[in-house]
């Protein structure tokens, strides 16, 4: 074996050059992808926030659906007007009873003296 056959210095130079290129390429890749990883993290946070807002919106929509409608309030108003009339009639019919009880109380107080 002569010295020309065992000379590996050109191969070492190529290996070092490829190693440097690979290191440079990986550095550039990490710089580019680090932004996308940060964005992916922010996107995950926003997705969670969006899911919470969606749940809140659904609960609000359900609450609005369960609220009485305009027709329900109108029916309630009519019923209250009817009750007001019934109470007026009842009050009018109780007036004689009130007078009787007042006279009986006066009589009992006079007898008690």
């Amino acid at each position: 074996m002569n010295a020309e056959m065992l000379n590996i210095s050109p191969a070492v130079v190529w290996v070092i050059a490829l190693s440097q290129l690979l290191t440079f390429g990986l550095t550039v890749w990490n710089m580019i992808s680090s932004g996308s990883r940060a964005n992916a993290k922010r996107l995950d946070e926003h997705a969670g926030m969006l899911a919470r807002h969606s749940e809140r919106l659904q609960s609000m929509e359900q609450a609005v659906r369960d609220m009485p409608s305009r027709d329900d309030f109108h029916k309630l108003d009519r019923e209250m007007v009817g009750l007001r009339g019934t109470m007026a009639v009842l009050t009018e019919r109780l007036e004689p009873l009130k007078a009787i009880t007042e006279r009986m109380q006066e009589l009992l107080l006079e007898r008690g003296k």
Side-chain angles (χ1 to χ4, degrees):
M1 290 201 217
N2 59 18
E4 288 181 20
M5 286 176 95
L6 292 176
N7 190 3
I8 59 168
S9 61
V12 170
V13 170
W14 280 105
V15 168
I16 292 173
L18 288 175
S19 173
Q20 291 298 321
L21 284 174
L22 182 63
T23 302
F24 177 73
L26 287 173
T27 302
V28 169
W29 173 257
N30 284 334
M31 288 173 54
I32 291 172
S33 66
S34 68
S36 66
R37 280 188 292 240
N39 286 340
K41 182 180 176 186
R42 288 186 65 204
L43 284 173
D44 290 341
E45 291 172 0
H46 287 294
M49 190 170 25
L50 186 61
R52 288 189 301 275
H53 285 300
S54 176
E55 290 172 3
R56 288 177 59 197
L57 181 61
Q58 286 176 354
S59 67
M60 291 297 292
E61 287 174 344
Q62 183 64 36
V64 168
R65 275 192 297 264
D66 292 341
M67 292 176 87
S69 68
R70 181 178 181 176
D71 293 333
D72 294 334
F73 277 114
H74 183 67
K75 288 176 188 175
L76 183 62
D77 186 45
R78 287 191 325 214
E79 290 292 325
M80 289 177 69
V81 167
L83 286 173
R84 191 176 306 136
T86 304
M87 290 195 58
V89 169
L90 184 61
T91 303
E92 184 180 318
R93 288 188 181 168
L94 288 176
E95 284 298 322
L97 184 61
K98 179 182 174 186
I100 292 171
T101 55
E102 286 176 358
R103 282 182 287 192
M104 287 180 68
Q105 185 178 7
E106 287 175 12
L107 179 67
L108 289 173
L109 286 175
E110 285 177 10
R111 283 188 184 171
K113 287 184 179 178

